Coordinates of all heavy atoms in Angstrom, one line a residue:
W1 N -11.7 -4.3 5.9 CA -12.0 -4.6 4.6 C -12.3 -3.3 3.8 O -12.9 -2.4 4.4 CB -13.3 -5.5 4.5 CG -13.7 -5.7 3.1 CD1 -13.3 -6.6 2.2 CD2 -14.7 -5.0 2.4 NE1 -13.9 -6.5 1.0 CE2 -14.8 -5.5 1.1 CE3 -15.5 -3.9 2.7 CZ2 -15.6 -4.9 0.1 CZ3 -16.4 -3.4 1.8 CH2 -16.4 -3.9 0.5
G2 N -11.8 -3.2 2.6 CA -12.1 -2.1 1.8 C -12.3 -2.5 0.4 O -11.8 -3.6 0.0
R3 N -13.1 -1.8 -0.4 CA -13.3 -2.1 -1.8 C -11.9 -2.1 -2.4 O -11.1 -1.1 -2.3 CB -14.2 -1.1 -2.4 CG -15.6 -1.2 -1.9 CD -16.6 -0.4 -2.8 NE -17.9 -0.5 -2.2 CZ -18.8 -1.5 -2.3 NH1 -18.4 -2.6 -3.0 NH2 -19.9 -1.5 -1.7
P4 N -11.5 -3.2 -3.1 CA -10.2 -3.3 -3.7 C -9.8 -2.1 -4.5 O -8.6 -1.7 -4.5 CB -10.2 -4.6 -4.5 CG -11.2 -5.4 -3.8 CD -12.3 -4.5 -3.3
E5 N -10.7 -1.5 -5.3 CA -10.4 -0.4 -6.2 C -10.0 0.8 -5.3 O -9.2 1.7 -5.8 CB -11.5 -0.1 -7.2 CG -12.8 0.3 -6.6 CD -13.7 -0.8 -6.2 OE1 -13.2 -2.0 -6.0 OE2 -14.9 -0.6 -6.0
I6 N -10.6 0.9 -4.1 CA -10.3 2.1 -3.3 C -9.0 1.9 -2.6 O -8.1 2.8 -2.6 CB -11.4 2.3 -2.2 CG1 -12.8 2.6 -2.9 CG2 -11.1 3.4 -1.2 CD1 -13.9 2.7 -2.0
L7 N -8.8 0.7 -2.1 CA -7.5 0.4 -1.4 C -6.3 0.6 -2.4 O -5.3 1.1 -2.0 CB -7.5 -1.1 -0.9 CG -8.4 -1.4 0.2 CD1 -8.3 -2.9 0.6 CD2 -8.1 -0.6 1.5
A8 N -6.5 0.2 -3.7 CA -5.5 0.3 -4.7 C -5.0 1.8 -4.9 O -3.9 2.0 -5.2 CB -5.9 -0.3 -6.0
G9 N -5.9 2.7 -4.6 CA -5.6 4.1 -4.8 C -5.1 4.8 -3.5 O -4.8 6.0 -3.6
M10 N -4.9 4.1 -2.4 CA -4.5 4.7 -1.2 C -3.0 4.5 -1.0 O -2.4 3.5 -1.3 CB -5.3 4.0 0.0 CG -6.7 4.3 0.1 SD -7.7 3.2 1.2 CE -6.8 3.3 2.7
P11 N -2.4 5.6 -0.4 CA -0.9 5.5 -0.1 C -0.7 4.7 1.1 O -1.6 4.4 1.9 CB -0.6 7.0 0.1 CG -1.8 7.6 0.6 CD -2.9 6.9 -0.1
P12 N 0.6 4.3 1.3 CA 0.9 3.5 2.5 C 0.6 4.3 3.8 O 0.6 5.5 3.8 CB 2.4 3.3 2.4 CG 2.7 3.4 0.9 CD 1.7 4.4 0.4
Y13 N 0.3 3.5 4.8 CA 0.1 4.1 6.2 C 1.3 4.0 7.0 O 1.6 4.9 7.8 CB -1.1 3.3 6.8 CG -1.4 3.7 8.2 CD1 -1.8 5.1 8.5 CD2 -1.5 2.8 9.3 CE1 -2.1 5.5 9.7 CE2 -1.8 3.2 10.5 CZ -2.2 4.6 10.8 OH -2.5 5.0 12.0
M14 N 2.1 3.0 6.9 CA 3.4 2.8 7.5 C 4.4 2.3 6.5 O 4.1 1.6 5.6 CB 3.4 1.9 8.7 CG 2.5 2.3 9.9 SD 2.7 1.3 11.3 CE 2.2 -0.3 10.7
G15 N 5.7 2.7 6.7 CA 6.7 2.2 5.8 C 7.6 1.2 6.5 O 7.8 1.1 7.7
G16 N 8.2 0.3 5.6 CA 9.1 -0.8 6.2 C 9.1 -2.0 5.2 O 8.8 -1.9 4.0
G17 N 9.4 -3.1 5.8 CA 9.5 -4.3 5.0 C 8.1 -4.8 4.6 O 7.1 -4.5 5.3
E18 N 8.1 -5.6 3.6 CA 6.9 -6.2 3.1 C 5.9 -5.3 2.3 O 5.2 -5.8 1.4 CB 6.1 -7.0 4.2 CG 6.7 -8.2 4.7 CD 7.0 -9.2 3.6 OE1 6.1 -9.6 2.9 OE2 8.2 -9.6 3.4
M19 N 5.9 -4.0 2.6 CA 4.9 -3.2 1.9 C 5.5 -2.5 0.7 O 4.9 -1.7 0.1 CB 4.4 -2.1 2.9 CG 5.4 -1.3 3.7 SD 6.4 -0.1 2.8 CE 5.1 1.1 2.3
I20 N 6.7 -3.0 0.3 CA 7.4 -2.4 -0.8 C 7.4 -3.3 -2.0 O 7.2 -4.5 -1.9 CB 8.8 -2.0 -0.4 CG1 9.6 -3.2 0.1 CG2 8.8 -0.9 0.6 CD1 10.3 -4.0 -1.0
S21 N 7.6 -2.7 -3.2 CA 7.9 -3.4 -4.4 C 9.4 -3.3 -4.7 O 10.1 -4.3 -4.9 CB 7.1 -2.9 -5.6 OG 7.5 -3.5 -6.8
R22 N 9.9 -2.1 -4.7 CA 11.4 -1.9 -4.9 C 11.8 -0.7 -4.1 O 11.1 0.4 -4.1 CB 11.6 -1.7 -6.4 CG 13.1 -1.6 -6.8 CD 13.3 -1.7 -8.3 NE 14.7 -1.7 -8.6 CZ 15.3 -0.6 -9.0 NH1 14.7 0.6 -8.9 NH2 16.6 -0.6 -9.3
V23 N 13.0 -0.8 -3.5 CA 13.5 0.3 -2.7 C 14.9 0.7 -3.3 O 15.7 -0.1 -3.4 CB 13.6 0.0 -1.2 CG1 14.3 1.2 -0.4 CG2 12.3 -0.3 -0.6
T24 N 15.1 2.0 -3.5 CA 16.4 2.5 -3.8 C 16.6 3.8 -3.0 O 15.6 4.2 -2.3 CB 16.5 3.0 -5.3 OG1 15.7 4.1 -5.5 CG2 16.1 1.8 -6.3
L25 N 17.8 4.3 -2.9 CA 18.0 5.5 -2.1 C 17.3 6.7 -2.7 O 17.1 7.7 -2.0 CB 19.5 5.7 -2.0 CG 20.3 4.7 -1.2 CD1 21.8 5.1 -1.2 CD2 19.8 4.6 0.2

């Protein structure tokens, strides 16, 4: 659990499916 405002400012920890909004090359 993290304060939502803190989580919102954190970069991804792992990359892949589901954690994206839009992917281009």
Side-chain angles (χ1 to χ4, degrees):
W1 174 82
R3 295 193 181 279
E5 64 272 20
I6 298 175
L7 292 177
M10 289 166 50
Y13 179 55
M14 294 191 299
E18 287 306 302
M19 49 75 66
I20 56 89
S21 176
R22 184 170 183 268
V23 176
T24 69
L25 293 179

